[in-house]
């Protein structure tokens, strides 16, 4: 064939990228990549991104379906049962039963402090398990890339996961407190419930757990080895228990210390006996911690969008 004929032949053999193929015969790519140097309209790109990105509520629904498959709800139920059992174990002792009707013994404050101490140990581990389970599936199944093809960036996916896990974390805190109150009433604690401290602790526990879950979600997203996340949760549990005994000024400097900061009860030794009383929660410090966590998580997840996977 002459050179003229070659030059006039149609250029049907385009590159795989320009043709929208994956380089194999008959293979196609869901989202064709424009050829280098091809001008694109910013308005059309923005329109395509908006049309491709799933809605926030729809994305949360997808994460809830993942939770069902990963049996995250079962993990939460087991932890709540264990928490109520361990927190109420002192109620069944004979000495405690005799003091349940004594207002001076502050039985409700004693029970609240017992639950707070157990939560300081278990809640960091709990949120680490939730974050790890919900994120590990993205590493093992190339979920980050699949979400990106639908317009959901890694950072946005982390924020969606946090919203979905919050729908589990908040009810768990409410059910835990309600179940413990029910057990106490069943055992014979007939004194009026101190509603204010209990409701305050319940709400703040849900918020602190959500904040701690945000940190563990980010860690689970940037580290493929989820043993690192679990180790961080385990270490956080021991730190949380130690912060219950540490000075309040030290507890406020560490994220795990806020399990102690939100506890509105304390015990002190008087004449060789433990005296329970309610204390004021440093709301300014707690709110500052929550706001700072929101800012850090938002900035960190937006940075994830610039990391190639």
């Amino acid at each position: 064939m002459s050179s003229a004929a070659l030059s006039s032949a149609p250029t049907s053999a385009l590159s795989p990228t320009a043709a929208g193929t994956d380089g194999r015969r008959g293979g196609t790519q869901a989202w064709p990549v424009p050829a280098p140097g091809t001008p694109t309209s910013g308005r059309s790109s923005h329109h395509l991104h908006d049309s491709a990105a799933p809605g926030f509520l729809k994305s949360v629904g997808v994460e809830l379906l993942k939770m069902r498959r990963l049996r995250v709800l079962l993990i939460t139920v087991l932890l709540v049962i264990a928490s109520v059992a361990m927190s109420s174990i002192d109620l069944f002792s004979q000495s405690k039963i005799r003091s349940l009707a004594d207002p001076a013994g502050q039985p409700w404050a004693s029970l609240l402090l017992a639950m707070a101490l157990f939560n300081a140990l278990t809640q960091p581990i709990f949120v680490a398990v939730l974050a790890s389970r919900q994120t590990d599936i993205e590493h093992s199944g190339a979920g980050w890339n699949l979400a990106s093809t639908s317009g959901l960036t890694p950072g946005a996916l982390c924020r969606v996961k946090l919203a979905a896990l919050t729908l589990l974390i908040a009810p768990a805190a409410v059910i835990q407190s309600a179940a413990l109150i029910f057990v106490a009433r069943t055992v014979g604690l007939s004194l009026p419930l101190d509603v204010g401290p209990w409701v305050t602790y319940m709400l703040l526990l849900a918020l602190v757990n959500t904040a701690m879950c945000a940190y563990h979600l980010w860690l689970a997203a940037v580290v493929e080895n989820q043993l690192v996340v679990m180790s961080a949760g385990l270490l956080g549990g021991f730190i949380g228990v130690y912060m219950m005994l540490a000075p309040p000024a030290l507890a406020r400097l560490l994220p795990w210390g806020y399990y102690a900061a939100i506890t509105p009860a304390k015990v002190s030794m008087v004449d060789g006996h433990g005296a329970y009383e309610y204390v004021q929660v440093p709301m300014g410090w707690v709110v500052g911690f929550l706001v700072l966590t929101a800012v850090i998580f938002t900035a960190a997840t937006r940075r994830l969008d610039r990391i190639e996977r």
Side-chain angles (χ1 to χ4, degrees):
M1 185 179 292
S2 64
S3 59
L6 288 173
S7 62
S8 62
T11 59
S12 59
L14 297 177
S15 64
T17 303
T21 65
D22 60 0
R24 296 171 295 182
R25 176 176 292 181
T28 58
Q29 190 176 7
W31 299 100
V33 180
T38 303
T40 57
S41 170
R43 181 179 178 181
S44 60
S45 300
H46 180 71
H47 175 71
L48 287 174
H49 182 271
D50 288 345
S51 61
F56 181 79
L57 294 180
K58 182 179 180 181
S59 300
V60 171
V62 172
E63 292 301 318
L64 293 176
L65 292 177
K66 292 179 185 178
M67 289 184 193
R68 182 179 179 182
R69 176 185 175 186
L70 298 171
R71 299 182 179 179
V72 174
L73 180 60
L74 177 61
I75 297 173
T76 304
V77 171
L78 292 177
L79 181 74
V80 170
I81 293 175
S83 175
V84 173
M86 294 301 295
S87 301
S88 62
I89 192 171
D90 189 44
L91 291 174
F92 297 93
S93 64
Q94 292 299 321
S95 59
K96 192 68 175 180
I97 292 177
R98 288 193 295 267
S99 64
L100 291 180
D102 183 13
Q106 293 284 8
W108 285 115
S110 171
L111 186 61
L112 179 59
L113 185 60
M115 180 175 65
L117 182 62
F118 186 79
N119 284 339
L121 173 64
T122 59
Q123 295 301 313
I125 303 174
F126 169 56
V127 296
V129 171
L130 294 185
S132 177
R133 293 283 291 175
Q134 201 69 15
T135 310
D136 184 50
I137 191 175
E138 312 300 344
H139 292 298
S140 59
W144 302 112
N145 294 331
L146 292 176
S148 296
T149 58
S150 64
L152 199 61
T153 62
L157 184 57
C158 286
R159 293 188 289 272
V160 168
K161 288 180 181 296
L162 181 62
L165 290 174
T166 302
L167 298 178
L168 195 64
I169 291 173
V174 176
I175 294 173
Q176 179 193 36
S177 297
L180 190 57
I181 293 172
F182 174 78
V183 172
R185 290 296 192 192
T186 303
V187 171
L189 182 50
S190 58
L191 294 175
L193 174 67
D194 304 317
V195 178
W198 278 79
V199 172
T200 299
Y201 178 77
M202 179 183 64
L203 296 178
L204 292 181
L205 177 64
L207 292 174
V208 170
N209 273 346
T210 302
M212 296 303 297
C213 186
Y215 288 119
H216 286 90
L217 264 176
W218 172 84
L219 182 61
V222 299
V223 178
E224 291 192 17
N225 188 354
Q226 296 305 301
L227 288 177
V228 177
V229 183
M230 297 302 301
S231 299
L234 186 61
L235 178 62
F238 287 109
I239 296 176
V241 172
Y242 176 74
M243 290 297 104
M244 294 289 292
L245 307 174
L250 178 60
R252 296 167 190 168
L253 300 179
L254 297 175
W256 304 279
Y258 282 87
Y259 287 106
I262 64 173
T263 303
K266 72 173 185 177
V267 60
S268 56
M269 299 303 296
V270 177
D271 296 332
H273 299 282
Y276 296 91
E277 61 178 326
Y278 291 109
V279 295
Q280 189 71 25
V281 175
M283 293 300 297
W285 282 91
V286 176
V287 171
F289 166 70
L290 296 175
V291 172
L292 180 62
T293 298
V295 172
I296 292 175
F297 182 71
T298 302
T301 51
R302 287 183 177 177
R303 181 176 175 80
L304 285 179
D305 298 338
R306 299 194 292 269
I307 299 177
E308 295 185 2
R309 295 184 176 274

